[in-house]
Amino acid sequence: MRLHRLDITAFGPFGASQSVDFDDLSAAGLFLLHGPTGAGKTSVLDAVCYALYGSVPGARQSGGQGMTLRSDHAAVGTRTEVRLELTVAERRLEITRQPPWERPKKIGVGTTVDKAQTWLREYDAATRAWKDLSRSHQEIGEEVTQLLGMSREQFCQVVLLPQGDFARFLRADAEARGKLLGRLFDTRRFAEVEKRLAERRRTTEAQVREGDATLLADAHRMQQAAGAAMELPELAPGEPGLAEAVLGAAAVARGTARELLTIADCRLAAAESAQAAAGQHLTDTRELDRLQRRFAEARERAARLAERADAHRAAQERMERARKAEAVAPALELRDAADEEHRRAADAEAHARALLPRALADAGATGLAAAARRAAEELGGLESARRAERRLAELVDERAGLDRQERADDEVRQEAETWLADWESTRTGLQGRVDSAQEAATRAEQLAVQRDPARRRLEAARQRDRLTDDTEEARRHALASAEDAVEARAHWLDLKEQRLHGIAAELAAHLTDGTPCAVCGATEHPAPARKSAGHVDRDAEERALAAYQAADERRARAERHLGAVREALAAATAEAGDAPTARLAEEAEELEASYARARAAASGLHPAQEELRRAEGEREQRVAAQQEAAVRSASRVAGRERLEREQTTLEEELARARGSAESVSARAAQLERRAALLTRAADTARVAEDTAQRLKDADARLADAAFRAGFDTPADAAAALLDDTAHRELQRRLDAWQSEDSAVRAVLAEADTTDAARRPPADLAVAEQAAADAGRYLREASSARDAAARRCAELDRLSTHATASARLLAPLREEHTRVARLASLAAGTSADNERRMRLESYVLAARLEQVAAAATARLLRMSSGRYTLVHSDDRTGRGRSGLGLHVVDAWTGRERDTATLSGGETFFASLALALGLADVVTDEAGGVRLDTLFIDEGFGSLDDQTLDEVLDVLDALRERDRSVGIVSHVADLRRRIHAQLEVVKGRSGSVLRQRGAG
């Protein structure tokens, strides 16, 4: 990587634009960056770092996303910018970065923040032009990091060598040294390996503990199942041998459980035999007790039957009389039915006769029927009168309807006449609205054509006014630029003339004795010219020339701008004319207002036309309605006369038909009621006569049936009859007595019952107690056997599960042992790791060993072969080893700690270490060549001889075409190093002054 050019604007202490030509500075190999404290030497290095990575080193990136990088000396309208041109990986690139910028708002008051901007360009040698690559912060950052092969922290340690940091690195302990090396060599992957191994160890340990906990849980369940027959191992989850101890205890518990199961089987068999014998004895005792009780109950039942013998015989006699009376029952039922029917018929007849007039109350059935026929005949004669009455009601409704129609037609005619009377004025008003809207539409079209030219002319007038002011401003600016260019040219010519006057002194400055003079050729120079006060050198003349050229360029740009503004003014004046802008604005506003009014008036055209069409349609409808109402009125006159004649005829007919009744319908209702009463009375009279005759016949048949059945009177026969309930109850009592007698005789005749009665009484309680004891013993034996069987099954199941768990856990336990050993070894806590060195420390120790070897090559030259840096992996106190750094003193042959070096020795040792570290990190980063390095401070602690040796080492870097920039306050370095970049601070900000090697 080689830096070519750096341009900074409003960055850090630099308020204006500053440039650094690194190609000119690097031509001598060594160059000096110097200036007073606080001038901004470090800001130059910060600008390089910011251009590459978008941030500055350390605490100087103090938040605000880069807004604090802006110079407080910068003008309000100047934006902060850093541009770096460099070559890396044989590609010439230009990186431009602008941090966020809080600027004044262009419109209104206050400020706004512009986002950060980044550009990356590459120089194309074939076309000799720059080519844009990207404007993305992320893409450019990734591209730079990939090309350099270093992070920002590595770059700041390798390219911007901070001697203070390396002096602290020499004296630091292993932990602090490890942090710095870890950032430089990015050993996070090895730390990640340690972390992953530790996490894997914790994971496998947790899995092993979980598996052991499962085994112990199975063991506890087996202990609960086995009881006191099993003892648990006194081991915690994760301890070795737990699985074997659990499986061994489970085997012992299974053997004990099987022995207990065999004993339970024997006890169960004995209990079953005893229970069978006791059960058989209980069955025999229960049967004997049953037969003895059966015989005793039969004797008691026989005694009760003897006591009820008289009642049984009386019941038999009562049943016999009931059977005889059943022959008379049909005649009794027939007589009762005839009597009931006759009573109902007589009641109906009495009720019907009570509703008749007194003249017909005692008439017979025949007379009542004749009177009913006469009423029906009179009712039939009223049918035509009833039809006439209904027609008369219809005529009244028709006349009322004609009256309603007449009133409705009168209202229609009056409303139509009133509306048509105002028709002409209505039509004239609507037609006027249509004509006005049509005229407004035509006027709006004409005004629309005039709008665009008026707008363009007004805009041109406004642009003409703006350009008039711009032209005057551009003219003043061009005049001032021309005056500045004239003054700059005069100043340059003056300086050039002054230099020519003192050119002899400038040439004499390079004369040496024995060397020919470039003018006269003499080798002796007895009286060379001396520079007078205010001598003008070549740099001053060139700066004056550059100032003149810049001023002339500004003059040319100002004149070109003036010409462009004048052309634009002429075009705007041609378009707008000489009319004032205010008058054109008033004309445009008046035109817009007229157009708006015309549009508003024209918008009523369509509604007015529609309203006119609706009014004409309504007029036609009202005229037609008026004519139709007149026609209907004429037709109703003839209909009304016809209805009146028909109504008179019908009223006369109805007066004759209704007689004294209010209406024909009332007369018809009277006749209908009378005919119905007479008919019902005649019917009930005939029914009563028929039922009386049937009752008489039934009495005769009943008396004959009672005599034949053996009863004196029909009343005796009726008393002997039993209803169904009484008959069934009496029959049930007879049957129950007979069944009980047969059952008692059968029981007393049984042989086994008789034999049981002769034996001693059975003792059922003793037999039941013996059977209960035998059953309880059997249940206890069965429960014990079942519990033993379940215990065996549960132990077998749990043992199988525990065995499977132990088998599955074995590979995991082996993996945990292996991972734990690796994790302990990588973490430095294993007994096999004698130096207690972590894996990351081991890698960093190898890197430190390379750095010490690379640094020693330069340290030997700087210390005149006295000191050598060596890596030490000894332990310090109780800490870990691997990152020790010692110095070997060739004068004493002793190895000692780097903290014992003096200030000057510490400086060149840290410088050698920094250069060695730069080489190693460069190789680590992919071998990217670093052609530009910076070394910050520390040279003031060296004596002259050591300083010469250090500078010789730095100067030797040019052998590999490197350039080294030294940042220092040491005044002697300004004499020794000719290529210099000076930072000069002032009240308006710092500026850069560059001087090459010549």
Side-chain angles (χ1 to χ4, degrees), residues 3-11 16-22 43-44 46-52 79-86 92-99 117-122 130 132 135 992:
L3 304 181
H4 297 294
R5 184 178 181 84
L6 175 66
D7 296 316
I8 54 179
T9 302
F11 184 88
S17 298
Q18 305 293 324
S19 299
V20 180
D21 188 352
F22 286 108
S43 295
V44 175
D46 289 347
V48 174
C49 184
Y50 179 74
L52 292 173
R79 179 159 189 174
T80 302
E81 180 180 276
V82 177
R83 180 181 292 110
L84 177 65
E85 186 179 338
L86 74 159
R92 186 151 184 164
L93 304 175
E94 180 190 81
I95 305 172
T96 303
R97 292 188 186 270
Q98 294 178 347
Q117 301 289 333
T118 306
W119 294 270
L120 176 63
R121 299 197 303 171
E122 182 176 4
W130 289 95
D132 291 335
R135 296 191 64 175
L992 296 176

Side-chain angles (χ1 to χ4, degrees), residues 937-955:
E937 289 301 340
F939 293 88
S941 60
L942 304 180
D943 55 29
D944 292 340
Q945 181 181 355
T946 305
L947 180 60
D948 289 337
E949 293 173 349
V950 169
L951 291 179
D952 289 342
V953 171
L954 295 179
D955 193 54

Side-chain angles (χ1 to χ4, degrees), residues 19-232:
S19 299
V20 180
D21 188 352
F22 286 108
D23 288 336
D24 184 36
L25 292 174
S26 302
L30 286 177
F31 63 91
L32 178 65
L33 175 59
H34 67 94
T37 301
K41 300 185 296 300
T42 305
S43 295
V44 175
L45 308 183
D46 289 347
V48 174
C49 184
Y50 179 74
L52 292 173
Y53 295 98
S55 60
V56 297
R60 293 189 292 278
Q61 184 75 14
S62 57
Q65 297 182 345
M67 296 184 65
T68 57
L69 301 178
R70 178 172 175 80
S71 176
D72 296 333
H73 303 286
V76 176
T78 303
R79 179 159 189 174
T80 302
E81 180 180 276
V82 177
R83 180 181 292 110
L84 177 65
E85 186 179 338
L86 74 159
T87 297
V88 58
E90 299 182 356
R91 296 172 61 186
R92 186 151 184 164
L93 304 175
E94 180 190 81
I95 305 172
T96 303
R97 292 188 186 270
Q98 294 178 347
W101 178 38
E102 185 176 5
R103 61 168 177 82
K105 291 183 178 179
K106 296 180 180 179
I107 300 176
V109 296
T111 60
T112 184
V113 177
D114 287 345
K115 295 182 179 179
Q117 301 289 333
T118 306
W119 294 270
L120 176 63
R121 299 197 303 171
E122 182 176 4
Y123 183 75
D124 188 352
T127 60
R128 295 184 177 181
W130 289 95
K131 168 176 70 173
D132 291 335
L133 296 182
S134 176
R135 296 191 64 175
S136 169
H137 300 298
Q138 182 177 0
E139 291 180 359
I140 295 174
E142 293 175 353
E143 181 73 13
V144 170
T145 303
Q146 182 178 1
L147 289 173
L148 295 178
M150 290 181 287
S151 64
R152 189 195 70 179
E153 290 76 10
Q154 290 176 318
F155 178 83
C156 293
Q157 294 291 341
V158 173
V159 179
L160 311 177
L161 301 178
Q163 292 307 301
D165 288 351
F166 281 96
R168 286 191 295 272
F169 179 80
L170 283 174
R171 298 186 177 92
D173 57 9
E175 183 177 358
R177 195 172 288 149
K179 290 181 180 179
L180 175 61
L181 292 175
R183 291 196 304 268
L184 293 177
F185 293 104
D186 192 13
T187 56
R188 288 176 295 179
R189 59 186 183 278
F190 300 102
E192 186 66 23
V193 169
E194 296 179 22
K195 181 179 177 182
R196 292 288 181 86
L197 285 174
E199 290 178 353
R200 184 58 183 162
R201 177 180 61 187
R202 289 191 294 270
T203 301
T204 55
E205 182 178 2
Q207 292 173 347
V208 169
R209 288 180 178 274
E210 183 179 358
D212 286 348
T214 303
L215 278 177
L216 281 178
D218 289 340
H220 282 289
R221 285 192 286 271
M222 284 189 285
Q223 186 184 39
Q224 292 176 356
M230 180 177 178
E231 294 183 0
L232 292 178

Side-chain angles (χ1 to χ4, degrees), residues 839-885:
L839 177 61
E840 183 182 13
S841 299
Y842 177 78
V843 175
L844 292 177
R847 293 287 186 263
L848 184 58
E849 190 172 1
Q850 296 174 355
V851 171
T856 297
R858 295 182 174 87
L859 182 58
L860 287 172
R861 294 185 59 187
M862 294 181 187
S863 62
S864 301
R866 179 179 179 183
Y867 293 118
T868 302
L869 283 175
V870 295
H871 162 249
S872 174
D873 56 4
D874 294 336
R875 294 174 57 181
T876 57
R878 299 182 61 186
R880 297 178 182 176
S881 61
L883 297 179
L885 193 63

